[in-house]
Amino acid sequence: MKKILVINSGSSSIKFQLIKMPGEIVVASGLVEAIGLDNAALHYKSKKMNFFEIMPIENHEVGLKKVAALLLDEEKGAIKSIEDIDAIGHRVVHGGKDFSDTIVIDAEVKKTIKRLFSLAPLHNPHNYTGIEVAEEVFPGTTQIAAFDTAFHQTLPEKAYRYAIPNKLLDENYIRVYGFHGTSHKYVAEKAKDFISKKKSKLITVHLGNGCSITAVKNGKSVDHSMGFAPVNGLVMGTRSGDIDQAIIFYMVNTLGYSLDEVSEVLHKKSGMLGLTGYSDLRIIEEKAAEGNRECQLALEMNAYRIKKYIGAYAAVLNGVDAIVFTAGVGENSSVLRKLICDDMSYLGIELEDYKNNVRSSENRIISKETSKVLVLVIPTQEELEIAKDTYRLIN
């Protein structure tokens, strides 16, 4: 059995799991959330104990060092020494044209990940920090990178190309890369348990602080809402999703924004935050229930955008067997799932309200028995998917 530590450094959080492979036994797990705020939270769970503490966590480096200290702690920890870790698997968002599969990290891989910062500014820098800190805390341990873009390498050319001059693809590699691939791949595989036929047409909906939707045909990604960088597509926590590109020219040429300021707005000040002042959907739902019109409208806009993509991908797939909701918001927000699925009977989508309102960590059906399209909630396990790939490389 190999012990693999999986580190998933997101835009404002760090998820981690210590997993024994190939048995898929989780020895320890946890979450650092709300990084950068005074009320950041550290969750930790092992066979020995559960641990939770509210504390200021300035940045990802501080958070990762606290995680390492917990794993090695004599009382709370799950390992006796750093030698107990056989490999560390890192989630890396953008692999560009360079990486189509999981890979052992060396100096050249790190250099490329760093070069891709501009394509995923909310993620790749934090992913890179995770690698750097892990190398410092666990020297000599094999480090593995698993890329969110890898699952979407199966996109057909008609889907991944933009209608721009050919040389921008041929010379500059500007194309759709796609993201959240580890999550979409995992839930698409799990959805097979609910579908009797061998061939399947799925629409997987990953809703968290970052959001994306994928058309999956027979286990392969064939279309995806994010593109060259993870800012377009659905409405997200702080990212705009789809906008008319002419707005960028208007902001620069007429309103006087610099390009860096436009990037800051679209990546960090837009989405649900820009619409409501909040990026946490739990708070937005609470405010909406209290009658806050801005929050109500933001939820409606969020759901409306997802509906449009579901319709488009049903056309791309020529039908759909199941819609799968996953990730923090997709798994837990019955409000948003209902807004999305309401008035979709033309496509054969019928939500069962009492099933939708049940909170559960189980893979489950939330559609009516009469629904022609299954509606599923499947909690994503990106860390387990990364552990599988990591084990494959070191074994």
Side-chain angles (χ1 to χ4, degrees):
M1 297 283 275
K2 304 281 188 180
K3 284 185 179 178
I4 294 171
L5 176 62
V6 178
I7 296 175
N8 182 347
S9 296
S11 55
S12 60
S13 65
I14 303 166
K15 295 179 184 178
F16 64 93
Q17 287 191 11
L18 183 62
I19 304 173
K20 283 185 179 180
M21 295 296 292
E24 300 183 5
I25 300 167
V26 178
V27 178
S29 62
L31 168 69
V32 185
E33 61 179 340
I35 292 172
L37 302 178
D38 290 337
N39 61 339
L42 176 57
H43 307 257
Y44 175 81
K45 181 180 180 181
S46 70
K47 290 183 179 179
K48 293 182 180 179
M49 67 180 302
N50 290 348
F51 175 81
F52 172 77
E53 187 176 348
I54 300 289
M55 66 184 82
I57 297 177
E58 182 181 352
N59 53 41
H60 284 67
E61 182 176 355
V62 172
L64 281 164
K65 286 185 175 179
K66 288 185 180 294
V67 168
L70 274 172
L71 288 170
L72 289 162
D73 186 270
E74 188 173 337
E75 179 185 350
K76 305 181 184 73
I79 54 175
K80 293 181 179 179
S81 70
I82 57 175
E83 285 77 19
D84 289 346
I85 304 293
D86 294 290
I88 299 176
H90 296 269
R91 177 202 179 204
V92 180
V93 166
H94 210 308
K97 68 178 180 63
D98 303 273
F99 306 113
S100 59
D101 202 354
T102 305
I103 192 170
V104 175
I105 297 170
D106 59 17
E108 281 302 311
V109 171
K110 286 172 63 179
K111 183 179 178 181
T112 304
I113 292 170
K114 199 169 184 178
R115 178 170 55 78
L116 294 168
F117 278 8
S118 62
L119 300 187
L122 291 182
H123 298 90
N124 268 36
H126 304 312
N127 304 153
Y128 186 87
T129 297
I131 294 167
E132 291 267 275
V133 174
E135 287 177 336
E136 177 186 334
V137 176
F138 301 98
T141 304
T142 302
Q143 311 279 333
I144 305 289
F147 298 92
D148 270 9
T149 47
F151 180 59
H152 303 297
Q153 292 297 305
T154 55
L155 289 178
E157 190 172 11
K158 63 186 177 184
Y160 75 67
R161 290 193 66 156
Y162 292 113
I164 55 179
N166 291 334
K167 70 175 184 178
L168 289 172
L169 172 65
D170 299 336
E171 299 175 15
N172 305 109
Y173 309 103
I174 297 176
R175 52 159 287 178
V176 171
Y177 288 104
F179 301 92
H180 297 139
T182 305
S183 175
H184 288 289
K185 178 184 175 186
Y186 177 84
V187 299
E189 289 174 351
K190 290 298 179 182
K192 293 176 185 176
D193 296 339
F194 296 90
I195 299 170
S196 56
K197 52 188 175 182
K198 291 182 179 180
K199 295 184 177 181
S200 61
K201 299 174 182 178
L202 308 175
I203 298 174
T204 54
V205 190
H206 177 108
L207 303 178
N209 191 49
C211 303
S212 64
I213 183 167
T214 302
V216 183
K217 188 172 184 178
N218 304 327
K220 296 185 183 298
S221 174
V222 296
D223 208 340
H224 179 74
S225 59
M226 286 177 164
F228 181 65
V231 67
N232 64 305
L234 307 182
V235 177
M236 302 176 232
T238 66
R239 281 167 274 174
S240 64
D242 290 339
I243 65 164
D244 180 349
Q245 53 266 48
I247 293 169
I248 297 171
F249 308 135
Y250 180 76
M251 290 176 71
V252 172
N253 297 328
T254 304
L255 301 183
Y257 284 77
S258 69
L259 287 174
D260 285 342
E261 287 171 336
V262 173
S263 179
E264 178 83 5
V265 168
L266 297 183
H267 282 94
K268 298 181 180 180
K269 296 180 179 179
S270 296
M272 300 301 274
L273 178 65
L275 292 169
T276 69
Y278 309 101
S279 62
D280 189 324
L281 198 81
R282 293 168 293 190
I283 297 173
I284 294 169
E285 288 185 358
E286 288 175 6
K287 297 291 184 182
E290 293 168 0
N292 184 305
R293 180 55 190 151
E294 285 184 343
C295 291
Q296 291 171 347
L297 179 59
L299 289 171
E300 291 168 6
M301 290 173 63
N302 195 321
Y304 183 74
R305 181 75 59 82
I306 296 167
K307 279 177 181 280
K308 290 206 296 184
Y309 269 94
I310 288 174
Y313 288 172
V316 166
L317 294 167
N318 191 25
V320 56
D321 297 310
I323 294 170
V324 185
F325 289 101
T326 194
V329 172
E331 294 163 24
N332 296 303
S333 177
S334 58
V335 172
L336 193 55
R337 291 195 302 259
K338 181 172 174 56
L339 283 171
I340 294 164
C341 293
D342 274 356
D343 299 321
M344 296 277 274
S345 57
Y346 182 81
L347 289 179
I349 299 168
E350 298 180 78
L351 197 68
E352 187 72 87
D353 286 341
Y354 80 88
K355 291 180 181 178
N356 182 47
N357 291 331
V358 171
R359 293 293 294 268
S360 172
S361 60
E362 300 296 317
N363 300 343
R364 62 196 188 276
I365 299 172
I366 60 170
S367 49
K368 293 181 178 180
E369 290 186 8
T370 55
S371 182
K372 294 179 181 178
V373 175
L374 286 175
V375 182
L376 307 173
V377 177
I378 299 179
T380 191
Q381 293 195 45
E382 293 170 285
E383 290 78 16
L384 178 56
E385 195 66 33
I386 292 169
K388 289 178 181 178
D389 284 346
T390 300
Y391 178 75
R392 173 175 54 84
L393 278 183
I394 67 170
N395 198 45

